[in-house]
Amino acid sequence: MIIKSSKLKISAVNPSSYPDDDLPCIAFAGRSNVGKSSLVNSVLKRKTLARVSQMPGKTRTINFYLINDNFYIVDLPGYGYAKLSKEEKDSWGKTMELYFSESKNLKHLFLLLDIRHEPKETDRQMYEYCKYYNIPVDIIATKSDKISRGQYQKSFSVIKKFLNIKGDEVKIFPISSLKKTGIEEVSDYMEEILKN
Ligand SMILES: Nc1nc2c(ncn2[C@@H]2O[C@H](COP(=O)(O)OP(=O)(O)OP(=O)(O)O)[C@@H](O)[C@H]2O)c(=O)[nH]1
Ligand SMILES: [Mg+2]
């Protein structure tokens, strides 16, 4: 995919402030710190468009990035950050619930999982959530620079087993925003999604 233009169109919490056009959306979901915002920057070949931080829980709003005036990449707020208060966790749940129930243009979701770790219960919930809402979902295994290529398959098996994924029903893309590997594969796949 050739990126001709990209900009942060809007940061929203409530459906009333989602973009008011009908352009398709592709969302990135995952635990706090898994690398969602970094991947936004990598795909868009921008260094600092999406805010990345050492501090987990950085992205609290739903951020709609408009690409080529044609579709949105939606950077969803991360979950699973232990230090959040109950109120903050509840507010995250509400924001997500509203997004899934109100977003008419969500075409596809990528669930980001750290390639090094077995997914957590919250990841399973996120995955099941997508299935419940009939949102097509594939997986992006982030921070692939942290393990050797030879370990990828082992990691994919752990992910598949945990989420009970059979055969090739779900794609898994290993990526590194640090080394910029696997990014082209993801963005080409997005282009394919948008054609369908
Ligand atoms: N080694 C390595 N580090 C990465 C990679 N991608 C992101 N990081 C680091 O992981 C940390 C979190 O990255 P973010 O992109 O902010 O993660 P996020 O999922 O947007 O986090 P929240 O906004 O809290 O939900 C930052 O310190 C990044 O530099 C990667 O591919 N490799
Ligand atoms: Mg973020």
Side-chain angles (χ1 to χ4, degrees):
M1 176 166 52
I2 297 162
I3 310 292
K4 287 171 243 156
S5 65
S6 60
K7 66 175 176 197
L8 174 60
K9 175 88 173 190
I10 196 146
S11 293
V13 172
N14 292 309
S16 59
S17 21
Y18 296 169
D20 57 0
D21 50 48
D22 280 325
L23 295 175
C25 293
I26 297 176
F28 291 168
R31 297 175 69 76
S32 210
N33 218 38
V34 74
K36 298 176 293 297
S37 300
S38 300
L39 181 60
V40 170
N41 289 330
S42 300
V43 168
L44 301 180
K45 300 189 169 68
R46 300 275 298 261
K47 285 209 168 70
T48 54
L49 184 62
R51 284 177 69 198
V52 172
S53 159
Q54 300 299 327
M55 272 275 295
K58 198 73 206 160
T59 316
R60 294 288 183 78
T61 50
I62 300 176
N63 294 331
F64 293 84
Y65 294 93
L66 177 62
I67 323 301
N68 297 346
D69 290 323
N70 185 38
F71 76 102
Y72 291 100
I73 289 180
V74 181
D75 186 7
L76 292 168
Y79 50 81
Y81 179 46
K83 285 188 185 150
L84 292 188
S85 66
K86 182 171 185 310
E87 286 73 24
E88 285 170 316
K89 283 180 188 162
D90 288 350
S91 122
W92 177 88
K94 191 103 208 302
T95 305
M96 296 292 276
E97 182 82 52
L98 282 169
Y99 181 66
F100 280 94
S101 54
E102 298 289 324
S103 171
K104 293 175 288 289
N105 306 320
L106 180 56
K107 221 171 144 100
H108 208 98
L109 185 139
F110 287 103
L111 177 61
L112 277 67
L113 300 169
D114 191 314
I115 200 164
R116 293 169 295 175
H117 309 306
E118 183 176 62
K120 301 261 189 336
E121 205 43 51
T122 41
D123 295 312
R124 195 197 324 263
Q125 283 163 8
M126 190 71 226
Y127 182 71
E128 294 299 333
Y129 213 57
C130 292
K131 298 213 132 180
Y132 176 79
Y133 280 102
N134 276 319
I135 299 155
V137 55
D138 286 293
I139 289 166
I140 292 178
T142 64
K143 310 196 184 186
S144 65
D145 54 278
K146 300 262 194 186
I147 63 172
S148 70
R149 203 165 274 269
Q151 294 173 287
Y152 286 9
Q153 284 310 324
K154 169 99 198 314
S155 165
F156 296 167
S157 311
V158 171
I159 290 172
K160 282 183 167 178
K161 181 150 187 261
F162 190 90
L163 297 177
N164 197 20
I165 294 167
K166 305 270 185 290
D168 295 328
E169 60 180 353
V170 170
K171 291 189 193 334
I172 305 182
F173 295 92
I175 68 110
S176 165
S177 287
L178 188 75
K179 302 271 192 231
K180 304 288 179 252
T181 51
I183 308 296
E184 210 63 40
E185 284 79 356
V186 170
S187 72
D188 286 349
Y189 183 57
M190 282 186 186
E191 197 169 27
E192 229 175 89
I193 289 166
L194 293 164
K195 277 186 201 148
N196 294 325

